[in-house]
Amino acid sequence: MPDTTPQPVFLADYQPPPFLVESVALTFRLHPTATRVSSEIRFRPNPDATPGHDLRLDGEGLNLLHASIDAMPLDARPDTTGLTIPAALLPEGAFVWQAEVEIAPEGNTALEGLYMSGGMYCTQCEAEGFRKITYYPDRPDVMAPFRVRIESDLPVLLSNGNPVASGAGWAEWDDPHPKPSYLFALVGGDLVSTPDSFTTMDGRHVTLNIWVRKGDEHSTAYAMDALKRSMLWDEQVYGRAYDLDIFNIVAVDDFNMGAMENKGLNIFNSRYVLATPETATDADFASIERIIAHEYFHNWTGNRITCRDWFQLSLKEGLTVFRDQQFMGDMRSHAVKRIEDVLTLRARQFREDAGPLAHPVRPESYVEINNFYTATVYEKGAELIRMLRLLVGEDRYAAALDLYFNRHDGQACTIEDWIAVFEEAGGRDLSQFKRWYGQAGTPRIDATEDWQDGQYTLTLRQHTAPTPGQPLKEPLLIPVAMGLIGPDGTEFLPTQVLELDGPTLSVTYDNLPARPVASLLRGFSAPVVLDHTQPPADLALLLAHDTDPFNRFEAGRSLARDTLHAMIMQTAAQPDPQFIDALRIMICDDTLDPAFRALALRLPGQEDLAASLSEAGHTPDPTVIFQIRQKAMHAIATALKAELEKIAQDMETPGPFNPAARDAGRRALRIQAVAALAYADHGDAAKNAFAHANNMTEQLGAWSALLGIGAGAQEGAEFYARWRHDRLVMDKWFMAQIMFAAPDTAVALTETLTRHASFDWKNPNRFRAVIGALGANPAGFHCQGGAGYRLVADWLLRLDGVNPQAAARNSTVFETWRRYDSDRQTLLRSELQRMASHPTLSRDMTEMVARMLGE
Ligand code: TRP
Ligand code: ZN
């Protein structure tokens, strides 16, 4: 059925719920095509709302069997989005709603509500999936305790809270903590777990389970270890303990996103749970650690304190991302983590902020809320909290968080509540800072310097370009951490934080013995683009002597970017020798963390270069970018061959595989060296690394290196033969070939692989590994003639028919279309228009495509 014209929801229209829920009791009789859900919901009028409202319950795709109020049968007439009971039919005061509905989880391919994956039942309710399970006021500011009974022959039956009772074919669960419906979860399956336990700081004994399908039980140890470390960390750093007797995690293969923080019953995409050294890379281990922590941390930031409405999404997501970033820094390396986070922020969030999908951290309207689980809400949201902490200091940050937890426990809150605790505990007015939540776009800071008679003046100017719906921008409060380095490498001025709160700011430093080199935006103290032209010699000085590790990295990055830009713009034929020297110094410095050196050795990617060229006012050509990058890699590898060979040898990690940061960093540097060497040794080092690899990091890294120089066919065949039965490794097999395919073969290869027997396109991981991988190969996707665009659009339309949420997420590959030349723009726009005019396009895709077209 085609969707009718989608209507936007506005933040300004918020009204408190007319009825609150005192308790919910649900009974599920599980059946693939006819699951029965009975509900008993105790309502009472909300004292904070005007009286006399009708009762409106959300419900979609439900077959209503019967309904009653206070045991009086009702002739309820549902419409397509729910049902309304006129106020005249409602008793005064509290009442009990009872209903029974039938739903069909087996046919639910949208992976929202109750669905089946690999023979098990599972749920996904955030943001608005509970309405596909039963009639309910499905909004986060309605919180209630839930009691759930599940009837099924399956051996493992789970829901939120604590187990109360069970018998043959049934189980009952009770969740005493009031929660919104989006945190409801239910699982039923033939699952196994290796139980563990954790004792909280207040003495509570908690049983821990990670439930997986039989055969996967040997791949959960790392996730369990990460969970226990997360629980301890939240106690030690935030003083927050777990609050139930059991914590269950379930891994499912078909899942739209990474994982979900349902109270006491987290559900995970299996790729973020299952790991062994043979099948998972170091990057996979790190993602598992981060996402396990993220979902666990939501227990306080999201569940105990939730969002009043979906516009406040960053209240829980920005904060929880910030917390998982802190955790990862503590577990691994703060310097390396910060660099990685900034690289992702720039790649995903700056890209979003610079294009047609730009929106504020707190949007003002949406058509489909699932389209707003974005890098802006998550990653930029986390940056805002990092800035707040910098502005008030660590101690007052801790005090503000204590106040937040104490004041708002059990409530559904807003960004205003959040800012208020910082104003009170931080002791300062934050009304200007709050603009960050409402203003979209990445601010640019232009820095200019003046040096005269021992006096140094730094001038900062801020500017934010218009974004869709926001033509005018106001100045933001931007903390700029900076220091000054002398020409001999000593620090003239240690880090201080300038507060740029108007259009410009000038600061002067007197009595300096020599002209200093400025180290600006240390630690990337604000999510901005810094325009500060520094000559290569100054960048080389910062790279060698800056006391701020982020800016040492950044100096190397600027040199790399400048040299690649010069080659692309044809003002240089070869990489600048000063850049190659600087690179040599960084990668050979044994006092530096290998993980840091590995990052330094990674050239800016094709997409980074396209973005930075376009930022500088040029039209990027993906083909040229690809060729120049290859040429630069060749020159670097030739110049640094001896050094790279030595690194590849020195960084071997003998002994049993250890996923911890130290060995992971050594493997990262070794693989980077092997991959670079491929450009100078025909892939000999990579072939050797592949042949001897005893872990997935080195096996996949070496194969990818070979693919990058157009080789690797033999290794690919071996990889396939060995891993064809492992679904998570097969995602890597699909993805690597397409991502690293030569530009002129990428589309044909993708097309071939879509006909592979293992291309299960309804599985979101597999779709991303094939169709998403083509988007991650810019020169291939943007090849002449638009075949890449057509292929991706065809598949998005096909996926949209079964899973609109996944289609919409994958559609952002088109968001940069205005960046390119007019031929490419025409082709890209016509694919967007073709999708827009598709007769049965979902609400999700309709909104995305319209926004990308600029309508
Ligand atoms: N709240 C989840 C998280 O950030 C993410 C999430 C939102 C999600 N909607 C979802 C996950 C839909 C899966 C499906 O941890
Ligand atoms: Zn989250």
Side-chain angles (χ1 to χ4, degrees), residues 126-146:
E126 188 176 4
E128 299 180 331
F130 192 72
R131 62 191 62 185
K132 295 179 159 189
I133 293 175
T134 194
Y135 288 99
Y136 198 74
D138 191 13
R139 46 187 288 171
D141 55 354
V142 173
M143 300 171 83
F146 279 60

Side-chain angles (χ1 to χ4, degrees), residues 147-149 162-167 170-173:
R147 211 182 150 96
V148 176
R149 178 182 168 87
N162 296 315
V164 223
S166 61
W170 62 274
E172 285 181 14
W173 291 81

Side-chain angles (χ1 to χ4, degrees), residues 743 747-748 751 774 778-794 814 821 823-832 834:
V747 175
E751 213 151 18
L774 180 58
F781 177 62
H782 291 284
C783 67
Q784 290 287 311
Y789 310 153
R790 278 193 298 280
L791 181 66
V792 173
D794 283 344
F814 284 96
D821 54 82
D823 285 355
R824 286 191 170 98
Q825 280 196 30
T826 305
L827 292 164
L828 284 157
R829 192 198 300 110
S830 76
E831 290 308 314
L832 283 166
R834 178 162 72 92

Side-chain angles (χ1 to χ4, degrees), residues 4 43 92 97 248 257 298 361 363 447 461 470 472 523 668 741 812:
T4 45
F43 285 99
E92 244 174 71
W97 158 269
N248 286 311
M257 307 242 265
H298 267 314
V361 170
R461 288 185 184 76
Q470 286 189 338
L472 296 174
T812 56

Side-chain angles (χ1 to χ4, degrees), residues 126 259 261 294-295 298 316-317 320-321 378:
E126 188 176 4
E261 70 263 24
H294 179 98
E295 306 310 331
H298 267 314
K316 76 177 176 80
E317 295 304 347
T320 305
V321 169
Y378 278 65

Side-chain angles (χ1 to χ4, degrees), residues 360-378:
V361 170
R362 179 165 70 179
E364 248 125 57
S365 74
Y366 59 78
V367 171
E368 171 51 63
I369 185 57
N370 282 328
N371 290 337
F372 285 83
Y373 286 74
T374 59
T376 298
V377 168
Y378 278 65

